[in-house]
Amino acid sequence: MSSQEIPEENLPAGQDTAHGAVKVADDPFADPGLPPHKPRIQDIDERAARRSERAVAFMFTLSMLATIGFIASYVIFPVDKIVYIWPFGRVSALNFALGWTLGLALFFIGAGAVHWARTLMSDVEIADERHPIQADAETKAKVMSDFAAGAAESGMGRRKLIRNTMFGALSLVPLSGIVLLRDMGPLPEKKLRTTMWTKGLQLINMNTNEPLRPEDVAVGSLTFAMPEGLSEHDHHFQTEIAKAALMIVRIQPEDIKDKRELEWSHEGIVAFSKICTHVGCPISLYEQQTHHVLCPCHQSTFDLSDGARVIFGPAGHALPQLRIGVNDKGFLEALGDFDEPVGPAFWERG
């Protein structure tokens, strides 16, 4: 389209309509201004505004109900209840309910706020004057002149050896940051799944450092044990004892309610992990009459006469049991490792 075909009112400033010549104007793009304000229906119809107000209030109310549901879920669902929900599969009922209710509570707060802002709050547009941010020609020339003088004085063009080695140094320096990532590893692999306990390892009393005999464990007593071959002077002692620490109690066989616990015991002597399944605190408080052990950190309570299941507190899993027996010398020994990872639960128990 030629300039003769463009309406005169649409030509930029400086257009010579007679000869078609265009002169460069100071600002070739004229300020188009703001479009005319179009009121929303809520601005002119109070009934529509009331509907929007009720919609926002309804979403905020749903958020409150979801928050109440979050609190109710924490009370209703036991920590060890597993349910099947398609398409998620088998999940913790408590975690699923807490996640959905909290998510809905936050979503409806956000949705209500957005609807409030778009329908009821003021939507009048306000323009701010734009000022040029580029430097003037004199400043540009001074900067370029200084840069050229600095480059010449540095000898970057002539001394290529310095230039190339500098670029090499700058390129390699970031690699030091990548090397620091090594401290994030190595990966645990299966170290969290297993402990030092293997078949044939004797149970060593942590107070006397002597192997335990069945007669050393009295009914109602609590004894702490560690694997044979582990010493407090070993550099890996803390790492291994954090997984392998045992508590040994003796219960009358007729008082043991869990069938597997009875099968894995020896004459009523049972061995359970000492590491709480909540956050890994060492368990040390035992009540003889009820056979309950208490974690001193957050009061998780386990019943040692019923598979060490959780009967109170935030722990999510029972304490793992170690199957024990007696060797030829009459000492208590392990008959394998724990059947599940010890300590705090990690994703899908490993």
Side-chain angles (χ1 to χ4, degrees), residues 59-73 97-98 100-108:
M59 284 184 272
F60 287 161
T61 302
L62 290 178
S63 175
M64 291 187 287
L65 293 176
T67 302
I68 295 173
F70 178 90
I71 299 172
S73 298
L98 293 179
W100 272 101
T101 51
L102 181 59
L104 290 174
L106 297 176
F107 170 80
F108 283 120

Side-chain angles (χ1 to χ4, degrees), residues 7-190:
E8 186 172 344
E9 62 272 14
N10 292 341
L11 289 175
Q15 174 75 49
D16 186 343
T17 57
H19 302 89
V22 177
K23 296 185 295 181
V24 177
D26 293 337
D27 187 2
F29 301 101
D31 183 4
L34 294 174
H37 176 69
K38 295 181 180 180
R40 301 163 300 189
I41 187 169
Q42 290 85 358
D43 297 331
I44 58 179
D45 188 352
E46 183 60 25
R47 290 179 301 177
R50 290 287 184 183
R51 287 196 298 270
S52 295
E53 181 182 3
R54 288 193 293 269
V56 173
F58 178 70
M59 284 184 272
F60 287 161
T61 302
L62 290 178
S63 175
M64 291 187 287
L65 293 176
T67 302
I68 295 173
F70 178 90
I71 299 172
S73 298
Y74 191 83
V75 176
I76 294 172
F77 294 107
V79 295
D80 56 351
K81 184 175 180 59
I82 304 297
V83 296
Y84 179 83
I85 299 178
W86 187 92
F88 304 100
R90 294 179 60 81
V91 297
S92 167
L94 177 61
N95 290 346
F96 189 84
L98 293 179
W100 272 101
T101 51
L102 181 59
L104 290 174
L106 297 176
F107 170 80
F108 283 120
I109 287 178
V114 171
H115 191 65
W116 182 10
R118 292 181 64 87
T119 60
L120 296 176
M121 293 184 183
S122 175
D123 69 331
V124 177
E125 296 183 1
I126 300 176
D128 192 11
E129 293 293 335
R130 180 187 297 174
H131 303 285
I133 60 175
Q134 64 180 0
D136 54 55
E138 182 180 354
T139 303
K140 287 182 180 180
K142 180 68 168 58
V143 170
M144 296 305 296
S145 175
D146 292 344
F147 179 81
E153 293 172 359
S154 67
M156 288 284 290
R158 293 186 301 109
R159 306 188 184 278
K160 297 182 179 180
L161 180 61
I162 294 178
R163 180 189 64 191
N164 294 339
T165 51
M166 181 190 70
F167 288 156
L170 294 176
S171 300
L172 292 178
V173 162
L175 294 179
S176 59
I178 298 177
V179 173
L180 294 178
L181 297 177
R182 177 183 176 275
D183 288 341
M184 300 180 66
L187 295 176
E189 299 174 350
K190 295 185 178 181

Side-chain angles (χ1 to χ4, degrees), residues 201-216:
L201 279 184
Q202 296 182 144
L203 279 60
I204 304 299
N205 190 320
M206 293 190 66
N207 293 324
T208 64
N209 288 324
E210 296 293 332
L212 281 166
R213 294 180 180 272
E215 54 267 29
D216 296 333

